[in-house]
Amino acid sequence: MHDYLSAALGGALIGIAGLFVMMVQGKIMGISGILSRLLPPADDDWAWRALFATGVIVTPIAWWGLSGSSPTIEITAGAPLLALAGGIVGVGTVIGNGCTSGHGVCGVSRLSPRSLVATGLFMTSAIVTVAAKTHLWGG
């Protein structure tokens, strides 16, 4: 399958999943919110959160098993840099009260002002980071 077709299909499936979670659970499909209320169970609706998290893990494995293909992933950064980046993202999701899936997919589609601002900040940070890495550190 061409990369643009698989990207379009993946995007459509994410949008459908977000709509489904909103319709069935009345919740925003943001992975940080789903996982943060899973362990320890902060709500009594942990079962659907556990199923969602399981699906996030099992689906790519099932796709790989059925199709025989998986994306090529090349991680060139070392463990300390990855840990630092993960920590920064974690702090950002707490400060921003959500993540890219909650704000960028679900919030923007609902025209939430907070999500529009948050997504603008996510994208600006990503653009600045890539530009700095490319132009300052070559690569």
Side-chain angles (χ1 to χ4, degrees):
M1 185 181 301
H2 295 293
D3 286 342
Y4 63 90
L5 289 176
S6 62
L9 177 61
L13 289 173
I14 290 169
I16 291 167
L19 180 61
F20 182 77
V21 170
M22 177 63 77
M23 288 173 46
V24 173
Q25 295 296 329
K27 308 276 186 188
I28 298 294
M29 187 190 72
I31 194 70
S32 66
I34 292 170
L35 292 180
S36 69
R37 289 171 185 85
L38 180 61
L39 296 175
D43 297 323
D44 39 333
D45 63 349
W46 64 270
W48 79 266
R49 295 174 189 279
L51 286 171
F52 185 90
T54 301
V56 167
I57 295 166
V58 169
T59 301
I61 296 168
W63 174 259
W64 176 56
L66 292 171
S67 70
S69 67
S70 64
T72 302
I73 300 171
E74 182 181 338
I75 300 173
T76 58
L81 183 57
L82 291 175
L84 175 64
I88 291 170
V89 169
V91 168
T93 60
V94 171
I95 292 170
N97 199 25
C99 60
T100 54
S101 57
H103 284 301
V105 175
C106 300
V108 168
S109 65
R110 294 179 10 227
L111 299 177
S112 163
R114 183 174 76 176
S115 292
L116 292 167
V117 170
T119 303
L121 291 171
F122 297 157
M123 296 307 294
T124 300
S125 297
I127 291 166
V128 168
T129 300
V130 170
K133 184 178 183 317
T134 302
H135 297 294
L136 298 177
W137 294 288

